[in-house]
Amino acid sequence: MNVGILTLQSSYSYGASLQAYATYLAVQSLGHNATMINYVNAYEQNQNRLISRKGDQSFLKNTIYTIENIALLKKHNMRKAFEGFQGRYKKTARYTRLTDLNREYFDCLISGSDQLWNPDIFGGIDTAFFLDFGDKSSRRISYAASAGSHIFTTDEVRRIKPLLERYNAISVRELALKRQIDSILGSDVPVVLDPTFLLHGKEWLEQTDGVRSLPKNSYILLYMIGVPYE
């Protein structure tokens, strides 16, 4: 079966890149032909700009980020690293418009994981991430979808309900989103693991290009998101 995966596969984010790759490998392991649908949301891609214009950051922080990008080659190095990793999986041509996605045909479409259903990330509801495209005969599945901490407004519910009703199967990553989807659809959607946990540790080590050096003593790995640095 030809399976198209739509997720945050082009984001300069460790979590987004790892979950995208894990989803891809999981689909492949089931014997299907997986392809990443290379769709990018212009609002979300602002994070990749050399000149920082993040709306949730102050002018001073945006200025600091811009200086780091230019003087320290921060953005250049990030682009090189992330795009190199993202080259591991097969993907379609790059699309920036919803209508262009209709050029692709897949037997099954999968959306997720990560915060695909969080309009705060995309400048509003982006219906592409609710699989608002493609052939009517294509099966539609969400795996471990997330909306972060977002609570859908009445207008947003009106927009996404008919799209959710087209899905053949829906699963989510958090209880908060489950409660919202259950209320919208009158359903009982399951909460499932993030895709990164679908792979065993050995499988992840096989992706590290020979890097095997780990601390021998007991340790705690701490990964913090959105914490300001000095």
Side-chain angles (χ1 to χ4, degrees):
M1 181 183 294
N2 290 320
V3 179
I5 303 169
L6 183 58
T7 186
L8 286 176
Q9 51 81 31
S10 63
S11 177
Y12 291 177
S13 161
Y14 298 107
S17 294
L18 291 174
Q19 65 82 24
Y21 191 47
T23 303
Y24 179 84
L25 292 179
V27 171
Q28 291 279 67
S29 71
L30 294 174
H32 302 300
N33 180 28
T35 302
M36 282 291 179
I37 300 174
N38 191 13
Y39 172 76
V40 296
N41 172 279
Y43 185 91
E44 187 270 334
Q45 285 290 297
N46 280 334
Q47 66 166 319
N48 297 343
R49 292 180 180 273
L50 187 65
I51 307 299
S52 181
R53 297 174 181 172
K54 297 181 179 180
D56 60 343
Q57 300 290 350
S58 66
F59 174 78
L60 177 59
K61 285 188 177 180
N62 276 318
T63 301
I64 293 174
Y65 292 151
T66 298
I67 293 173
E68 290 178 338
N69 291 339
I70 296 174
L72 303 179
L73 299 178
K74 181 178 179 180
K75 194 63 66 176
H76 168 78
N77 293 331
M78 287 181 64
R79 180 178 292 110
K80 182 178 179 180
F82 278 101
E83 292 183 358
F85 179 82
Q86 292 158 4
R88 293 173 178 232
Y89 41 72
K90 182 174 66 173
K91 54 187 174 182
T92 67
R94 187 175 188 271
Y95 298 117
T96 58
R97 296 186 304 177
L98 173 65
T99 54
D100 290 340
L101 293 174
N102 289 314
R103 299 176 186 175
E104 304 287 343
Y105 173 80
F106 295 98
D107 301 306
C108 179
L109 294 168
I110 297 178
S111 57
S113 173
D114 224 340
Q115 297 188 41
L116 283 192
W117 292 353
N118 186 349
D120 298 332
I121 293 177
F122 305 109
I125 294 289
D126 187 336
T127 59
F129 295 120
F130 290 84
L131 303 182
D132 186 21
F133 64 90
D135 194 275
K136 292 182 179 179
S137 65
S138 299
R139 293 183 61 83
R140 286 167 168 76
I141 297 172
S142 82
Y143 180 78
S146 171
S149 58
H150 185 81
I151 303 298
F152 294 116
T153 66
T154 301
D155 182 62
E156 289 169 344
V157 169
R158 179 185 59 79
R159 293 186 63 193
I160 67 175
K161 182 178 180 180
L163 300 177
L164 293 172
E165 290 175 336
R166 295 180 65 188
Y167 276 78
N168 298 95
I170 295 176
S171 63
V172 297
R173 198 173 66 181
E174 299 102 7
L175 278 171
L177 181 57
K178 169 186 168 56
R179 296 187 185 102
Q180 293 191 78
I181 301 302
D182 285 351
S183 175
I184 294 171
L185 298 180
S187 60
D188 184 16
V189 301
V191 177
V192 296
L193 288 173
D194 184 275
T196 54
F197 293 104
L198 297 179
L199 275 63
H200 295 291
K202 182 179 179 180
E203 293 176 283
W204 279 118
L205 287 174
E206 291 172 351
Q207 307 301 321
T208 57
D209 297 327
V211 177
R212 297 290 186 273
S213 58
L214 296 173
K216 295 181 179 180
N217 300 323
S218 299
Y219 67 96
I220 296 176
L221 173 64
L222 178 62
Y223 180 68
M224 303 181 72
I225 301 175
V227 178
Y229 55 87
E230 298 298 326

